[in-house]
């Protein structure tokens, strides 16, 4: 079970808290606004009203005890930058900060963030890719130049085996799974079984 600190109990922080709670993580939420703390309380292990840009306040939280620290103060960039920098200086194991534009992303990475999430850009990219073609059902970026696509099977592939299609050689793609009538199948053609 991971121990998580969330600085900023707005919408984004609350969504993270809800999911982390579902995954049985211990979640501490911090926000300067008492109303935000009251709203996030059902989804966290503990919460405190306080200033996430105060070194003394953060020090009292025991930053080293958390596996991951999220800074979700997207609307207040100066505060986000200060909290990110302080968490890094106080020895946080991993700092993930939210950005709302490219410039913020660069500053956060230069000032202590181990990773930056940019939800608006990431969601826009995913939706644009998904709706750019009638065959794309969903899209997930992995690393630079690597993606996972959920696609409708082209009509030309109907009734043919994966070996016959030879997608890896012909299209430079790997088929990871096949969804048929709600069931997910993992193709065995890439992992031949050894004879005993």
């Amino acid at each position: 079970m991971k121990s998580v600190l969330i600085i900023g109990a707005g919408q984004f922080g609350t969504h993270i808290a809800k999911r982390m709670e579902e995954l049985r993580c211990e979640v501490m939420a911090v926000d300067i606004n008492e109303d935000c703390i009251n709203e996030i309380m059902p989804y966290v292990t503990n919460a405190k009203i306080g200033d996430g840009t105060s070194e003394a306040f953060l020090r009292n939280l025991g930053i080293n005890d958390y596996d991951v620290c999220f800074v979700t103060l997207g609307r207040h960039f100066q505060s986000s930058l200060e909290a990110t920098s302080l968490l890094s200086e106080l020895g946080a194991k991993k700092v993930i900060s939210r950005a709302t534009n490219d410039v913020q992303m660069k500053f956060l990475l230069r000032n202590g963030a181990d990773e930056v999430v940019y939800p608006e850009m990431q969601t826009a990219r995913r939706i644009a890719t998904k709706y750019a073609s009638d065959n794309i059902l969903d899209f997930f970026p992995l690393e630079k130049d690597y993606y996972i696509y959920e696609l409708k099977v082209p009509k030309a592939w109907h009734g043919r085996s994966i070996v016959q299609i030879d997608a890896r050689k012909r299209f430079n793609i790997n088929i990871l799974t096949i969804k048929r009538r709600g069931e997910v199948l993992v193709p065995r053609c890439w992992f031949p079984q050894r004879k005993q």
Side-chain angles (χ1 to χ4, degrees), residues 99-107 118 121:
T100 58
N101 62 51
D102 293 338
V103 173
Q104 288 182 6
M105 187 184 308
K106 289 176 187 174
F107 273 103
Y118 185 172
M121 181 202 62

Side-chain angles (χ1 to χ4, degrees), residues 188 191-196:
R188 293 180 181 222
F191 309 103
Q193 292 190 356
R194 293 182 184 172
K195 292 182 180 178
Q196 299 281 337

Side-chain angles (χ1 to χ4, degrees), residues 97-102 105 116-123:
S97 299
R98 179 184 184 202
T100 58
N101 62 51
D102 293 338
M105 187 184 308
V116 174
V117 292
Y118 185 172
E120 291 83 0
M121 181 202 62
Q122 291 159 337
T123 302

Side-chain angles (χ1 to χ4, degrees), residues 11 14 16 21 30 44 102 125 136 152 171-172 184-185 192:
Q11 284 186 335
T14 300
I16 292 173
E21 189 245 353
V30 170
V44 298
D102 293 338
R125 187 174 181 195
I136 298 174
K152 290 181 187 175
F171 307 106
N172 197 28
V184 177
L185 309 166

Side-chain angles (χ1 to χ4, degrees), residues 21-79:
E21 189 245 353
E22 289 170 3
L23 297 170
R24 295 187 171 89
C25 295
E26 289 185 3
V27 181
M28 162 67 89
V30 170
D31 201 288
I32 204 161
N33 184 319
E34 184 178 355
D35 292 336
C36 289
I37 290 298
N38 290 334
E39 286 184 33
I40 204 171
M41 277 302 294
Y43 315 107
V44 298
T45 311
N46 201 353
K48 289 192 178 184
I49 300 166
D51 184 358
T53 65
S54 163
E55 183 175 350
F57 178 75
L58 291 178
R59 198 178 291 279
N60 285 333
L61 292 176
I63 298 305
N64 293 332
D65 296 335
Y66 298 100
D67 297 302
V68 183
C69 298
F70 291 96
V71 180
T72 62
L73 305 167
R75 292 185 198 151
H76 309 284
F77 180 64
Q78 184 63 36
S79 297

